[in-house]
Amino acid sequence: MSINMPNTETALMDEEFMAAALEQARIAAAIDEVPIGAVVVQDGAIVSAGYNRREADADPSAHAEFSALTEAARRLGRWRLTGCTVYVTLEPCLMCAGLMQQARIDRCVYGADDPKGGALGTLYRVHEDKRLNHSFAVTAGVRAEECSALLSDFFADLRVQKKLYDKEAQAEEQAQVEARAHTEEQAQAGGSS
């Protein structure tokens, strides 16, 4: 298994850079996107950042880490992102883990596990698949509770909004039914005079 346990210095850096990824996730939440954020780090400095924009961009590939990786490649002027670490608040999906493998990153650090789509340990192990030509280290669970809470709160709020919307829609539908009934009553009353 290649899920790393970092030393104290690395663990402190991981906490710091995950805080930056969480800030990106909060930006996503503020525009009603699923709150996932990512940063790409090289030599102790953030090279790029990204957050979920699938709804805003109508783009199925607009995941936080996908955006951060493509921006890092653009800024560094190369597609090979050796020497880079990706910090992301949710375990990457198969698409994003594949991109990390293709970009030749050194390491991925993520917060919350993704039991429905995680490709770096939960459902798949792309980072250590011997059939592929590149492997990379993974550190899981950095600020996991905070990352999970941000997602849980977002979806709880979404469910509340949906219930409110459903109640408003039911009330509007009831008002339309009553208005039609009233109109029909008036038409019948007018027709019998």
Side-chain angles (χ1 to χ4, degrees):
M1 178 184 273
S2 70
I3 294 186
N4 295 354
M5 294 306 298
N7 64 38
T8 305
E9 184 179 331
T10 302
L12 290 173
M13 285 181 53
D14 288 351
E15 292 279 331
E16 176 186 334
F17 290 124
M18 188 59 73
L22 279 159
E23 282 305 311
Q24 293 296 308
R26 288 183 186 97
I27 294 169
I31 62 168
D32 294 327
E33 291 279 353
V34 175
I36 302 170
V39 296
V40 176
V41 173
Q42 182 182 41
D43 298 328
I46 294 174
V47 174
S48 64
Y51 53 88
N52 255 15
R53 293 188 50 86
R54 291 193 315 173
E55 299 296 331
D57 295 349
D59 180 353
S61 71
H63 290 200
E65 59 272 53
F66 200 102
S67 299
L69 282 161
T70 56
E71 181 62 16
R74 189 188 67 73
R75 287 186 180 175
L76 295 172
R78 57 189 167 92
W79 67 267
R80 286 182 191 267
L81 299 179
T82 52
C84 292
T85 298
V86 178
Y87 292 83
V88 60
T89 56
L90 182 67
E91 180 181 3
C93 69
L94 195 53
M95 173 183 71
C96 293
L99 183 61
M100 290 175 190
Q101 187 273 333
Q102 289 294 312
R104 313 296 196 264
I105 67 162
D106 286 1
R107 183 169 167 249
C108 177
V109 178
Y110 71 83
D113 290 335
D114 184 356
K116 294 182 179 181
L120 295 183
T122 302
L123 298 179
Y124 304 97
R125 304 187 70 76
V126 171
H127 62 291
E128 63 179 18
D129 189 325
K130 301 293 184 216
R131 296 168 296 179
L132 301 174
N133 64 344
H134 175 74
S135 61
F136 55 94
V138 171
T139 302
V142 175
R143 299 181 84 148
E145 288 181 20
E146 192 174 351
C147 294
S148 293
L150 191 58
L151 287 160
S152 296
D153 292 348
F154 175 81
F155 286 112
D157 289 347
L158 203 59
R159 286 189 292 276
V160 167
Q161 289 173 8
K162 184 182 180 327
K163 283 181 183 177
L164 289 174
Y165 175 80
D166 288 348
K167 283 182 182 179
E168 289 173 1
Q170 285 177 337
E172 186 176 320
E173 186 177 324
Q174 183 62 33
Q176 290 174 355
V177 167
E178 290 172 5
R180 278 194 300 272
H182 180 70
T183 302
E184 288 173 9
E185 286 174 8
Q186 285 183 329
Q188 287 177 352
S192 59
S193 325

